[in-house]
Amino acid sequence: MKIHIRHATTYHYDNPGSHLVQRLYLTPLDTPSQSVLEWTIEAPGIENALRYVDAFGNVAHVTTPPIDLAEVTVVAAGTVRTTDTAGVAGYDLGSVPIQAYLASTPATEANAAITALAHGHGQLSGIEQLHSLSASVLDKVAYVIGATNEHTTAADAVRDGKGVCQDHAHVFISAARLLGVPARYVSGYMVVGENEFAEASHAWAEAYVASLGWVGFDVSNQVSPDERYVRVATGMDVSGATPAKGVRRGLSTGAETMDVEVLVERVAEQ
Amino acid sequence: MLLGRTAASLFWMARYMERAENMARLIEVSYRISLMPKPFRAHQDDWSSALKSAHCEATFAGKYDTASQENVIQHLVLDRENPSSIRSSMETARNNGRAVRTALSRDVWESLNATWIELSTLRMNQLPSDKLPGFLDWIKQRSMLFRGAMLGTALRRDSFHFCQAGAFIERADNTARILDVKYHILLPRGAGPGSSIDRQQWASLLRSVSAHRAYRWAYRDASYQPWNVAEFLILNPAMPRSLLFCYDWISNNTLSEIEEEYGDGTLPCHETATETMNLLASANMEKIFQNGLHEFLSDFIDRNNRLTAEIATAYNFP
Amino acid sequence: MGDNFNEMLEADGSVRPPYALLHKWLETQTPGDLRAKIREAESIFRRLGITFAVYGTQEASERLIPFDIIPRIFAASEWRRLEAGIAQRVGALNAFIDDVYHRQEIVRAGKVPGDLILQNEAYLPQMAGHSPARNVYSHIIGTDIVRVGANDFYVLEDNCRTPSGVSYMLEDREAMMFLFPDLFAKHRVAPIEHYPELLRQTLDSVAPPQCEGEPTCVVLTPGIYNSAFFEHAFLADEMGVQLVTGDDLFVRDGWLYMRTTRSPVRVDVVYRRIDDDFLDPLTFNPNSTLGVPGIFDIYRAGRVTIVNAPGAGIADDKAVYSFMPDIVEFYTGEKPILNNVPTWRCSDSDSLAYVLEHLEELVVKEVHGSGGYGMLVGPTASKKEVATFRQILKKRPGNYIAQPTLALSSCPTFVKSGVAPRHVDLRPFALTGDRMRITPGGFTRVAMKQGSLVVNSSQGGGTKDTWVLED
């Protein structure tokens, strides 16, 4: 499938004049399931940005927009051709050892409920175990927009029983790690429908299966990523894969609001 | 090379030391007046005017009911909740100095630190009224020790000049405020010029800025003429506490030195300083009184504050 | 104090050679003489503002660290043996950290379990694959060593993150030279005053490749309220580099800068005394106001060097410590020169059982603790303390390791009753950059309370000057 993406994030600042450092994980790379035909990022300060590849194999841009902007807009756009590999992302080139993906993080720390959830699948193994786990997570955490935010932990989401794709991914990751399966967070895009704008990019989980490598599990949609999916960045949890993240320093920073507009649409093959 | 934060700490360290010394002088004078028999004191010449001169009315009102001697002294000397009290000023000066310890010579640091060590353990009950004059004298001594160490051991470079800028801006602010407050109290009210009440008032105003004897050398009049006193403290170029002297120093011996060392060109703070100095240099008392002394002094205090903000911006204070 | 090795006196009362002159001198001093010297020392320190804030006390005000005026003395030959052991250990530690963040060969070889390292709090996945300048991660290591016999030394722990104490070592020496010039004249004490110079050379030698000309180094401090602030300021001053807080630094257009009164100045090497978690709110703890947003990215891209590297703490984890003999042998091919203290890892059920049964005899420490907090010293604890600790231990056994109590050596120390032996330990400092530089002696900590084995300054311990005699 040929997919066109336009991902725009706009930050509004009440009090411009403080120093902002932004890190962008907005560059998809070629993988067995996707090939990037064209891709650009527009952002204030991007010409002088640091571009490097981090430990997880993500392409990162670190920008420092000019200091007086009351509004900072970042737009990543381009075209990617995808193929369906049944959700298998393969053995990747990042430097983080597989076993490190078993470590717990604040966002993915298990509570009693998650522990129970995980052990409910202790008898199964391999892909079967993971698909079953994915179904249970959706069962436990209904897809509800607006009940959680970017700081919600897996434990919170399970306790409240509501969440979005980020929360589904965290709960799945938390449970998988308890079962001794290395797991990680993936941020990316998914084709929803013709000309449909989404309010956010998409997130899912990947788990490591020895014979296959990393395999994706989209709990919210109950599938493994197919040709509708474009993979961008991975991390231990959302904090390591957030598309755009910034920290401001300086005089009273005032209120900050963010608007996101994502267009992910299939385009005709030429 | 100096960090913006270091320059800021040096500026404020010197400023708060100057504030502590000025506060000691102010309290000393108010204390002297309180010892005078009632007829010799103007009705407003009580401790509340000291609060006004020290710009501490607001902080005082939140905490105390009456402006009694005990309360005011407590508030202006040892009260930790008053950022301008002698104790707080010394502590702020010392903390700023500690944060930039390596920018200070050993003598400067030790004069600051030793003073703070002794002061930090002092309790109000160790300061009965008979011990007060000795204590205030000690504060002045320690401040002069600090200044002496600074003048005697500091390298004449940007770090030194930021200290000087802080000290002289504070001194100018202090002189302007005291004059503004006291002048109205002291306007002759039924007592004829040259009366003994009159003399005591002017003498006390001059004492509060350590200008009492210097005045006598500058003006030969036996009685203090209000006009002369105001002129002495605003326009006399030889009087180290006058507004003109302070701004001449700030403009020609401090900011210009920094500008020369850095070679980064003229900035708004240089312009403001020069402008204010020229204003003072070309002023005369007749015009000042015509337009209103209070207006003149208020305007000056605003300019002084503006200069502080412009220096902070120019040199990247945090 | 009984059978503990006394560094000055043999069992038969004869004086050990390194202390010969000192002993003679002590005999000529009355307690009054020594007390006068102590007062002199205290006033020197106070004037200089050397203090050590103690956490958890009612007034976090400034208190002097007790300084004992009687030096600890090593003969040249004693020190040489120690020095070789330290060099071997420090080399192995850096090789270990390098391996951890690359191929984990030691795990593949089955010498250390993978989960101990890769699921360790101190392991930073963000560091995987990064190769810092000269492959050095822990440029400054403070190794805590205790002595049990004339030639019997044990390493208590390796401090690979932000070891402190150097300033006390240097100021103690300066005070001693001021107080006892005659004693120095009679002995030939190896100098240590050039440590700041050596540190500066070390920092310069690990500047990133794009650095042109003389590297710009800074000391990054959490600020004046940190207990070791004096040391941060002291070292910056002695090295002739800027002391900065997080707010003085900023990232712009892909590089790290310092905020000066003029244009920003690019920074090449950051000697940071801030913990990993607080270093960068963009990558680590987002609530940190002490760090610099984006500094880790600049570091990872090789545009600035951070000393000691983030993630170096994987080497001074107390559970990893128990594998040190294997670690030293794996990377050097040699048997360790310095002994490791036998250690029971309470995460192991057999070890836990042993520990619970012998709790009154053991020293139990938190795996990730420091400063002597959260530990139990079985032999000197009350029955109640032991019982309470037993419950804590049962709840989270993976959090603890246990070691037998060691009979720490003692040194003559001036106390209320006169000169008496008190337990000591030693922290030598090893610098690694273009080469390794180990300061002779180091920082001796002494437990001022009779019989006490806790030497940490934060819990009332004091310091002594340490002399290494030249041949």
Side-chain angles (χ1 to χ4, degrees):
Chain A
M1 192 183 289
K2 197 165 161 186
I3 300 174
H4 170 65
I5 297 162
R6 187 175 187 280
H7 179 177
T9 311
T10 302
Y11 294 92
H12 306 275
Y13 299 111
D14 260 9
N15 272 0
S18 54
H19 184 73
L20 171 67
V21 178
Q22 258 191 342
R23 183 176 52 230
L24 310 174
Y25 282 129
L26 285 173
T27 307
L29 293 172
D30 287 354
T31 71
S33 60
Q34 69 192 36
S35 129
V36 180
L37 303 177
E38 56 173 357
W39 195 263
T40 57
I41 301 179
E42 276 164 28
I46 194 82
E47 329 71 54
N48 296 320
L50 165 69
R51 181 197 187 280
Y52 77 101
V53 177
D54 74 6
F56 295 89
N58 303 320
V59 172
H61 284 87
V62 179
T63 69
T64 44
I67 211 164
D68 293 327
L69 297 179
E71 214 176 78
V72 172
T73 301
V74 177
V75 181
T79 314
V80 180
R81 177 175 286 121
T82 59
T83 48
D84 187 350
T85 56
V88 177
Y91 301 94
D92 66 11
L93 306 161
S95 309
V96 179
I98 309 291
Q99 201 176 8
Y101 289 98
L102 287 171
S104 180
T105 66
T108 56
E109 200 166 323
N111 59 3
I114 296 176
T115 310
L117 178 71
H119 291 148
H121 299 273
Q123 303 303 85
L124 303 168
S125 66
I127 292 285
E128 205 194 333
Q129 179 189 54
L130 298 165
H131 278 300
S132 177
L133 180 63
S134 171
S136 297
V137 173
L138 184 58
D139 212 42
K140 269 265 178 323
V141 182
Y143 187 88
V144 175
I145 298 176
T148 55
N149 60 45
E150 71 263 28
H151 302 298
T152 307
T153 64
D156 292 337
V158 162
R159 194 189 54 234
D160 299 337
K162 304 177 198 157
V164 293
C165 54
Q166 170 186 314
D167 307 297
H168 284 153
H170 281 157
V171 176
F172 179 91
I173 291 165
S174 181
R177 287 174 181 164
L178 279 180
L179 290 168
V181 177
R184 65 192 186 183
Y185 187 96
V186 183
S187 72
Y189 305 103
M190 182 187 141
V191 176
V192 178
E194 213 69 12
N195 239 324
E196 257 188 64
F197 282 81
E199 265 177 35
S201 50
H202 194 39
W204 61 93
E206 275 178 2
Y208 188 83
V209 177
S211 50
L212 297 168
W214 291 97
V215 182
F217 292 89
D218 181 352
V219 172
S220 315
N221 292 299
Q222 285 296 294
V223 289
S224 284
D226 51 38
E227 55 189 358
R228 293 173 294 164
Y229 290 69
V230 174
R231 208 167 157 280
V232 178
T234 68
M236 298 294 290
D237 60 37
V238 67
S239 65
T242 308
K245 188 172 170 190
V247 176
R248 295 204 300 154
R249 277 284 169 79
L251 305 167
S252 157
T253 49
E256 175 187 314
T257 53
M258 184 179 87
D259 293 318
V260 179
E261 200 180 74
V262 184
L263 174 66
V264 186
E265 56 183 4
R266 179 180 184 168
V267 294
E269 294 282 353
Q270 251 96 19
Chain B
M1 197 215 70
L2 216 56
L3 293 174
R5 179 175 55 82
T6 303
S9 283
L10 290 168
F11 178 91
W12 288 103
M13 171 189 74
R15 211 172 153 165
Y16 272 95
M17 275 305 280
E18 183 80 21
R19 186 171 300 187
E21 185 184 332
N22 293 338
M23 185 70 89
R25 295 184 194 285
L26 180 66
I27 295 170
E28 199 173 44
V29 166
S30 301
Y31 185 68
R32 278 178 75 103
I33 292 175
S34 75
L35 296 176
M36 281 162 52
K38 274 202 161 42
F40 290 94
R41 291 186 271 154
H43 69 284
Q44 290 145 301
D45 205 8
D46 54 12
W47 286 96
S48 56
S49 82
L51 284 174
K52 201 160 180 213
S53 299
H55 202 47
C56 288
E57 281 176 301
T59 48
F60 184 86
K63 216 175 154 180
Y64 302 88
D65 289 324
T66 49
S68 65
Q69 172 167 320
E70 198 185 323
N71 287 347
V72 175
I73 289 180
Q74 157 97 320
H75 190 61
L76 297 182
V77 175
L78 291 183
D79 197 340
R80 281 207 167 88
E81 288 169 38
N82 177 4
S84 297
S85 73
I86 291 179
R87 191 210 293 265
S88 296
S89 296
M90 281 292 190
E91 182 154 7
T92 304
R94 189 260 183 185
N95 283 343
N96 272 295
R98 182 170 179 237
V100 297
R101 169 77 182 81
T102 53
L104 306 177
S105 71
R106 190 168 257 199
D107 295 299
V108 170
W109 165 250
E110 284 178 13
S111 72
L112 202 49
N113 196 39
T115 308
W116 174 81
I117 285 173
E118 280 212 47
L119 194 52
S120 59
T121 55
L122 205 58
R123 301 261 171 280
M124 215 37 223
N125 55 21
Q126 291 164 289
L127 260 194
S129 42
D130 60 334
K131 289 249 172 9
L132 188 64
F135 169 78
L136 296 173
D137 207 53
W138 177 77
I139 292 288
K140 287 187 302 182
Q141 301 294 337
R142 298 305 300 182
S143 171
M144 291 189 282
L145 180 67
F146 170 81
R147 188 182 298 120
M150 178 77 71
L151 290 171
T153 65
L155 265 182
R156 292 321 191 248
R157 45 160 292 199
D158 51 0
S159 43
F160 173 75
H161 297 303
F162 282 109
C163 291
Q164 294 287 86
F168 278 96
I169 286 176
E170 179 70 19
R171 186 181 295 185
D173 180 81
N174 182 257
T175 302
R177 274 186 210 285
I178 287 182
L179 188 56
D180 194 26
V181 170
K182 286 291 186 183
Y183 200 85
H184 293 279
I185 295 173
L186 301 174
L187 277 176
R189 206 186 268 261
S195 71
S196 55
I197 293 176
D198 217 31
R199 276 211 301 282
Q200 291 292 359
Q201 307 315 325
W202 292 118
S204 76
L205 167 57
L206 287 168
R207 272 186 212 280
S208 66
V209 290
S210 296
H212 170 237
R213 281 166 76 190
Y215 177 85
R216 291 237 108 117
W217 284 96
Y219 299 90
R220 297 288 166 176
D221 60 348
S223 64
Y224 302 93
Q225 299 301 323
W227 193 278
N228 288 342
V229 173
E231 182 184 65
F232 188 55
L233 295 179
I234 298 175
L235 301 180
N236 191 305
M239 162 52 181
R241 304 197 96 81
S242 79
L243 304 187
L244 176 59
F245 183 94
C246 289
Y247 262 80
D248 183 26
W249 200 272
I250 290 169
S251 196
N252 294 329
N253 293 340
T254 301
L255 292 179
S256 59
E257 296 289 314
I258 297 174
E259 189 184 342
E260 203 178 299
E261 183 178 328
Y262 288 169
D264 290 336
T266 306
L267 300 163
C269 57
H270 301 121
E271 287 165 359
T272 300
T274 307
E275 199 181 272
T276 307
M277 185 192 69
N278 289 336
L279 209 91
L280 289 164
S282 61
N284 64 64
M285 289 315 294
E286 184 159 347
K287 270 219 286 274
I288 291 176
F289 275 116
Q290 237 168 47
N291 296 328
L293 177 65
H294 172 69
E295 284 68 26
F296 179 85
L297 292 172
S298 293
D299 175 64
F300 175 82
I301 290 172
D302 286 341
R303 288 175 157 276
N304 206 29
N305 289 337
R306 177 154 55 100
L307 180 62
T308 299
E310 285 171 351
I311 289 174
T313 305
Y315 299 108
N316 296 316
F317 287 14
Chain C
M1 217 59 52
D3 310 314
N4 289 42
F5 177 68
N6 184 314
E7 299 204 353
M8 183 169 76
L9 301 170
E10 300 280 17
D12 61 5
S14 58
V15 180
R16 295 185 63 250
Y19 286 85
L21 287 174
L22 182 72
H23 186 258
K24 261 211 195 81
W25 176 79
L26 275 175
E27 300 210 301
T28 67
Q29 302 294 306
T30 68
D33 293 330
L34 294 175
R35 261 189 278 274
K37 281 295 183 191
I38 289 173
R39 278 196 296 277
E40 215 181 318
E42 279 177 0
S43 102
I44 296 174
F45 284 135
R46 227 181 250 289
R47 270 172 50 224
L48 295 176
I50 299 172
T51 58
F52 191 96
V54 177
Y55 295 124
T57 52
Q58 266 175 330
E59 251 190 44
S61 59
E62 303 170 24
R63 266 176 42 187
L64 290 185
I65 293 199
F67 167 64
D68 184 67
I69 55 172
I70 303 177
R72 179 184 194 180
I73 308 180
F74 287 101
S77 55
E78 291 177 313
W79 173 250
R80 266 195 293 274
R81 226 170 292 125
L82 267 179
E83 191 181 45
I86 296 163
Q88 181 197 51
R89 197 160 172 117
V90 164
L93 285 166
N94 268 305
F96 172 67
I97 302 171
D98 191 49
D99 189 26
V100 162
Y101 289 112
H102 289 90
R103 291 189 38 83
Q104 303 99 42
E105 297 288 4
I106 198 170
V107 172
R108 287 170 214 269
K111 299 288 182 185
V112 178
D115 59 348
L116 178 66
I117 295 174
L118 299 176
Q119 288 166 250
N120 194 307
E121 236 171 63
Y123 172 81
L124 295 183
Q126 297 90 343
M127 281 291 289
H130 181 63
S131 292
R134 302 185 190 272
N135 294 316
V136 177
Y137 297 77
S138 196
H139 311 77
I140 305 165
I141 297 183
T143 307
D144 290 346
I145 296 176
V146 296
R147 190 179 202 174
V148 165
N151 294 319
D152 248 326
F153 292 90
Y154 283 87
V155 174
L156 271 191
E157 68 183 26
D158 307 283
N159 295 287
C160 302
R161 293 175 228 219
T162 54
S164 65
V166 158
S167 58
Y168 298 111
M169 175 183 86
L170 294 169
E171 291 289 340
D172 285 357
R173 173 59 56 94
E174 194 169 312
M176 290 293 284
M177 284 170 63
F178 183 87
L179 294 170
F180 303 112
D182 42 324
L183 276 182
F184 272 92
K186 293 209 186 80
H187 293 81
R188 287 182 56 217
V189 183
I192 57 167
E193 304 83 74
H194 54 300
Y195 177 88
E197 217 178 282
L198 299 179
L199 178 57
R200 179 70 199 270
Q201 283 166 12
T202 302
L203 297 179
D204 284 347
S205 76
V206 292
Q210 296 97 326
C211 169
E212 289 159 357
E214 201 176 296
T216 299
C217 306
V218 299
V219 176
L220 175 59
T221 177
I224 62 175
Y225 298 111
N226 181 271
S227 62
F229 175 76
F230 168 78
E231 181 162 304
H232 310 159
F234 176 83
L235 288 174
D237 191 26
E238 294 279 312
M239 288 194 287
V241 305
Q242 282 292 330
L243 178 71
V244 300
T245 58
D247 287 328
D248 296 319
L249 299 180
F250 61 98
V251 166
R252 187 200 284 171
D253 295 340
W255 295 92
L256 180 68
Y257 294 95
M258 221 184 331
R259 191 171 278 117
T260 76
T261 50
R262 305 181 61 195
S263 343
V265 170
R266 188 185 289 183
V267 176
D268 302 301
V269 182
V270 178
Y271 171 25
R272 52 84 180 221
R273 294 292 288 257
I274 294 181
D275 292 340
D276 284 359
D277 201 37
F278 293 95
L279 198 51
D280 182 347
L282 192 58
T283 297
F284 304 115
N285 187 332
N287 299 316
S288 167
T289 51
L290 300 176
V292 185
I295 191 176
F296 184 79
D297 297 89
I298 307 304
Y299 170 74
R300 180 74 209 212
R303 292 181 172 187
V304 76
T305 296
I306 296 179
V307 169
N308 292 341
I314 190 65
D316 71 15
D317 175 89
K318 291 188 182 53
V320 170
Y321 164 88
S322 63
F323 289 98
M324 275 310 286
D326 291 300
I327 289 173
V328 170
E329 199 167 338
F330 187 79
Y331 296 105
T332 66
E334 304 159 357
K335 284 257 175 277
I337 297 170
L338 295 174
N339 297 318
N340 230 46
V341 180
T343 302
W344 288 274
R345 289 184 287 274
C346 298
S347 53
D348 174 76
S349 50
D350 288 337
S351 300
L352 177 63
Y354 179 87
V355 171
L356 286 170
E357 207 181 302
H358 294 93
L359 207 49
E360 299 84 0
E361 301 157 28
L362 302 171
V363 176
V364 187
K365 305 182 202 174
E366 278 184 16
V367 167
H368 297 299
S370 69
Y373 293 106
M375 69 187 247
L376 175 81
V377 180
T380 59
S382 69
K383 277 205 168 62
K384 186 157 173 253
E385 286 169 339
V386 172
T388 312
F389 205 89
R390 191 183 298 274
Q391 297 314 313
I392 297 174
L393 182 54
K394 279 193 193 152
K395 267 209 189 108
R396 295 188 63 196
N399 210 33
Y400 295 91
I401 50 123
Q403 297 170 327
T405 48
L406 294 172
L408 262 54
S409 62
S410 60
C411 268
T413 304
F414 188 71
V415 296
K416 277 207 188 75
S417 52
V419 176
R422 289 288 183 270
H423 294 305
V424 291
D425 80 352
L426 179 71
R427 179 182 288 186
F429 293 93
L431 298 173
T432 310
D434 52 350
R435 54 190 193 86
M436 202 185 295
R437 303 160 167 98
I438 301 175
T439 312
F443 174 39
T444 288
R445 296 183 296 186
V446 53
M448 301 303 274
K449 234 181 83 178
Q450 183 179 16
S452 168
L453 297 170
V454 179
V455 299
N456 302 80
S457 1
S458 47
Q459 298 203 43
T463 73
K464 275 176 178 296
D465 192 13
T466 311
W467 294 1
V468 169
L469 301 179
E470 294 184 326
D471 280 316

